[in-house]
């Protein structure tokens, strides 16, 4: 998957490919979050953006007969055009994604290129739930072009389905069949997560308190006007992150792919936070340090415990194979040793089939990933080092699984009407050597300068 951005905040023009592990580095205010939020917004809402044209007869067949046999090849042939139209629709919605003033992103562009897998060769099966009583099931045999759609409702419910709903459902099913494998289900852990961990209850009850206040307000004041004035919006990724943390009590009833298949990864995560999270049936959230019976609330716990809260619940209850964990600055509030452990955890997730996308300022994370890349070779001395230093095979990662980009200012290509090139924010791909790891000049230059200063301080008098 390749993403191209234009006039997106600080990013004048940029493109990046999404790997199994994707990393964006760079100084502050260089556009890392712009790229991350833009990708997240599309992956979160692509089903609402992709709309396939359908003949009225197909919709009528589904509504009248309750089932439909649909050839997929004509829709596969139009995927490029449908994807381009979805990207245009998404670009028009960027003001909302970033919670910006209307028109702020009017000149922004978002483009996405995909290598669509061979859908005909695959067996497909799934369902779309409209309500608890109304479901649409779909299936396709391996090697077949024909997608079978069935409306699982009784006769009375079937009559209530409008042609527009039928059209939307069929388009959604076609989109799922063609694109679902290419678009990972994203979860984002925003940089605001530490504060959300403390104030999750207040955020949950804020609207209730507002409604209570509205009921007591003088009748001359329009309650809806009061609600609109009090409502504060945030970028979509932040709001989704807040919503996830608010619903932890509901979330704990599920068990993730990681918890089922690799519970030892959860033990490694518990080692990073030095204990465990617990949420009760009354929605009370506690942290228990290892080896104690203490129950600490989030405001009594360390900033590191708060900053990893949502990631901990994602791993235990929501992670799925083929999904994507997106973390804005995973190093927040973490000791360097735990930053290294997080890098190893990310590599394990990648090897378990979960894509990882991070922005970072951490040289420790980059260097630990370098170690995991460099140790992943069949040489006796590397195997000895891995064994002696406690590295497991499940933590090692290949260079071709990793994509790294540096966010910085560069000279932009000449555009029509321009006489000279201008500087603007972009993403520059970093070279990754299988034997030497990632070249990250953003960190290397700073470290070299510090070393030069230190050497001058120590030896400069001689």
């Amino acid at each position: 998957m390749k993403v191209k951005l234009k006039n997106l905040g600080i990013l004048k023009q940029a493109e990046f490919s999404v790997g199994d592990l994707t990393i964006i580095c760079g100084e502050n205010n260089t556009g890392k979050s712009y790229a991350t939020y833009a990708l997240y917004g599309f992956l979160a809402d692509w089903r609402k953006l992709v709309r396939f044209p359908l003949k009225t007869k197909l919709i009528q067949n589904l509504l009248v007969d309750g089932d439909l046999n649909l050839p997929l090849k004509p829709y596969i042939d139009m995927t490029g055009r449908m994807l381009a139209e979805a990207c245009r629709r998404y670009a028009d919605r960027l003001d909302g994604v970033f919670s910006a003033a209307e028109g702020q992103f009017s000149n922004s562009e978002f483009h996405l290129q995909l290598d669509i897998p061979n859908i005909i060769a695959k067996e497909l099966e799934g369902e779309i739930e409209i309500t608890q009583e109304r479901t649409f099931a779909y299936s396709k045999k391996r090697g077949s072009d024909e997608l079978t759609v069935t409306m699982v409702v009784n006769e009375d419910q079937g009559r209530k389905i409008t042609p527009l709903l039928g059209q939307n459902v069929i388009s959604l099913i076609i989109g799922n069949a063609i694109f679902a494998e290419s678009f990972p289900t994203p979860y984002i852990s925003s940089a605001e997560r530490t504060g959300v961990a403390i104030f999750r209850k207040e955020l949950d009850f804020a609207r209730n308190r507002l409604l209570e206040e509205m009921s007591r307000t003088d009748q001359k004041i329009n309650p809806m006007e009061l609600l609109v004035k009090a409502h504060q919006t945030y970028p979509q990724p932040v709001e989704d992150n807040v919503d996830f943390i608010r619903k932890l009590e509901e979330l704990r009833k599920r068990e993730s792919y990681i918890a089922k298949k690799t519970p030892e990864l959860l033990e490694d995560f518990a080692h990073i936070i030095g204990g465990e999270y617990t949420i009760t049936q009354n929605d009370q959230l506690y942290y228990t340090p290892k080896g104690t019976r203490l129950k600490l609330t989030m405001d009594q716990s360390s900033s590191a415990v708060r900053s990893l809260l949502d990631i901990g619940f994602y791993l235990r209850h929501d992670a799925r194979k083929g999904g994507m964990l997106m973390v804005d600055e995973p190093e927040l509030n973490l000791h360097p040793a735990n930053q290294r452990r997080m890098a190893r955890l990310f590599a394990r997730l990648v090897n378990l089939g979960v894509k990882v996308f991070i922005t970072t300022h951490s040289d420790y994370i980059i260097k630990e990933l370098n170690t995991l890349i460099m140790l992943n070779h069949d040489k006796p001395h590397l195997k000895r080092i891995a064994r002696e230093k406690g590295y497991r095979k499940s933590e090692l990662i290949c260079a071709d699984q990793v994509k790294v980009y540096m966010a910085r200012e560069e000279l932009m290509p000449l555009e029509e009407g321009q006489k000279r090139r201008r500087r603007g924010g972009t993403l520059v791909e970093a070279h990754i050597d299988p034997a030497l790891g990632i070249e990250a000049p953003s960190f290397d230059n700073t470290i070299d300068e510090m070393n030069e200063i230190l050497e001058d301080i120590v030896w400069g008098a001689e």
Side-chain angles (χ1 to χ4, degrees):
M1 183 193 311
K2 179 179 286 188
V3 179
K4 294 185 178 181
L5 308 171
K6 191 172 182 179
N7 300 322
L8 191 72
I10 295 170
L11 293 174
K12 179 67 175 175
Q13 191 169 321
E15 65 178 66
F16 61 94
S17 296
V18 178
D20 294 333
L21 171 60
T22 309
I23 305 165
I24 301 183
C25 307
E27 297 183 12
N28 299 110
N29 302 313
T30 52
K32 300 185 297 300
S33 293
Y34 278 104
T36 305
Y37 283 11
L39 175 61
Y40 172 82
F42 186 89
L43 292 179
D45 285 344
W46 69 267
R47 288 178 173 85
K48 302 175 185 176
L49 298 164
V50 175
R51 303 172 189 168
F52 285 91
L54 297 166
K55 295 181 179 179
T56 305
K57 184 179 180 181
L58 291 175
I59 303 167
Q60 291 175 341
N61 288 346
L62 180 62
L63 298 181
V64 174
D65 300 334
D67 55 37
L68 174 68
N69 293 323
L70 190 69
L72 271 180
K73 191 175 185 307
Y75 300 102
I76 294 174
D77 292 342
M78 65 175 72
T79 52
R81 177 164 59 90
M82 295 299 100
L83 189 57
E85 290 180 3
C87 289
R88 282 194 290 272
R89 292 189 188 101
Y90 180 61
D92 291 339
R93 296 175 50 181
L94 285 172
D95 289 346
V97 173
F98 287 90
S99 188
E102 185 176 353
Q104 184 171 330
F105 290 89
S106 58
N107 294 324
S108 300
E109 295 180 18
F110 180 94
H111 304 279
L112 195 147
Q113 296 176 358
L114 282 179
D115 292 325
I116 303 295
N118 186 354
I119 305 300
I120 304 300
K122 295 181 178 295
E123 181 178 349
L124 300 175
E125 188 173 5
E127 61 181 34
I128 303 295
E129 184 176 307
I130 305 302
T131 67
Q132 290 183 344
E133 299 82 19
R134 186 178 297 133
T135 300
F136 291 82
Y138 63 92
S139 63
K140 186 188 80 68
K141 295 180 180 179
R142 192 184 307 275
S144 171
D145 170 53
E146 193 169 80
L147 186 70
T148 300
V149 182
T150 305
M151 185 165 55
V152 188
V153 294
N154 64 39
E155 189 174 348
D156 291 337
Q157 292 166 334
R159 291 196 184 103
K160 297 176 184 177
I161 298 176
T162 64
L164 179 59
L165 176 59
Q167 179 179 357
N168 290 338
V169 168
I170 297 173
S171 179
L172 179 58
I173 288 173
I174 295 171
N176 269 2
I178 296 176
F179 291 116
E181 187 176 330
S182 300
F183 292 141
T185 301
Y187 171 74
I188 192 161
S189 181
S190 68
E192 288 77 10
R193 59 188 179 272
T194 303
V196 176
I198 298 178
F199 298 113
R200 61 182 291 270
K201 300 295 288 186
E202 283 74 10
L203 289 168
D204 200 21
F205 295 135
R207 183 169 295 181
N208 291 339
R209 289 199 299 269
L210 178 59
L211 292 173
E212 182 180 352
E213 183 64 27
M214 285 168 56
S215 68
R216 298 173 181 174
T217 301
D218 187 285
Q219 295 299 314
K220 295 180 180 179
I221 296 179
N222 185 339
M224 289 308 298
E225 183 180 343
L226 179 64
L227 180 62
V228 171
K229 286 181 179 179
H231 179 60
Q232 184 176 4
T233 58
Y234 299 91
Q236 179 186 347
V238 177
E239 289 198 344
D240 287 355
N241 192 198
V242 170
D243 194 48
F244 180 91
I245 295 176
R246 285 176 52 195
K247 295 179 178 178
L248 295 184
E249 196 277 332
E250 176 185 335
L251 190 70
R252 71 180 181 87
K253 301 171 186 176
R254 303 204 303 257
E255 189 177 26
S256 73
Y257 164 78
I258 300 298
K260 293 176 182 177
K261 300 293 184 181
T262 321
E264 59 270 22
L265 186 145
L266 300 179
E267 295 174 8
D268 290 346
F269 181 80
H271 182 59
I272 294 174
I273 63 172
E276 292 185 349
Y277 301 112
T278 304
I279 190 161
T280 69
Q281 292 183 350
N282 297 325
D283 202 21
Q284 298 299 313
L285 177 63
Y286 298 105
Y287 165 72
T288 301
K290 186 177 181 180
T292 75
R293 295 184 179 181
L294 294 174
K295 287 187 175 181
L296 305 178
T297 61
M298 285 300 101
D299 57 333
Q300 294 171 331
S301 302
S302 71
S303 57
V305 167
R306 296 196 297 268
S307 70
L308 294 178
L309 171 67
D310 65 327
I311 297 176
F313 274 82
Y314 167 82
L315 294 175
R316 184 174 293 277
H317 301 288
D318 201 47
R320 63 197 73 180
K321 190 173 184 178
M324 177 185 284
L325 171 62
M326 306 180 77
V327 187
D328 203 358
E329 301 181 15
E331 66 271 15
L332 281 179
N333 307 303
L334 297 186
H335 184 277
N338 277 334
Q339 293 182 40
R340 293 179 59 200
R341 293 186 182 106
M342 285 299 294
R344 294 165 72 169
L345 185 140
F346 290 149
R348 290 190 67 187
L349 285 174
V350 166
N351 290 329
L352 288 169
V354 179
K355 292 183 181 295
V356 176
F357 189 110
I358 66 172
T359 69
T360 185
H361 300 287
S362 172
D363 182 52
Y364 295 102
I365 287 178
I366 296 298
K367 284 189 173 179
E368 189 67 11
L369 290 171
N370 280 349
T371 298
L372 302 179
I373 292 170
M374 294 161 66
L375 286 176
N376 194 24
H377 297 279
D378 191 20
K379 296 181 179 179
H381 79 286
L382 296 178
K383 290 183 176 180
R384 173 185 57 78
I385 294 171
R387 183 175 61 254
E388 291 176 353
K389 299 300 182 181
Y391 288 96
R392 291 167 287 190
K393 181 67 176 176
S394 60
E395 296 172 332
L396 305 185
I397 192 168
C398 297
D400 59 10
Q401 292 178 278
V402 184
K403 294 287 186 181
V404 180
Y405 295 87
M406 311 303 298
R408 65 190 189 202
E409 270 202 355
E410 295 280 327
L411 283 173
M412 297 289 102
L414 275 175
E415 296 184 0
E416 187 176 352
Q418 287 184 341
K419 295 183 178 180
R420 61 178 184 177
R421 295 168 66 187
R422 299 174 182 175
R423 299 185 68 83
T426 188
L427 300 176
V428 179
E429 186 170 5
H431 176 67
I432 306 176
D433 189 291
L436 301 175
I438 304 162
E439 291 183 8
S442 175
F443 300 129
D444 295 340
N445 295 342
T446 301
I447 293 170
D448 289 344
E449 182 181 1
M450 291 174 66
N451 289 337
E452 289 176 7
I453 295 171
L454 182 60
E455 287 181 7
D456 201 21
I457 290 171
V458 175
W459 307 106
E462 297 184 0

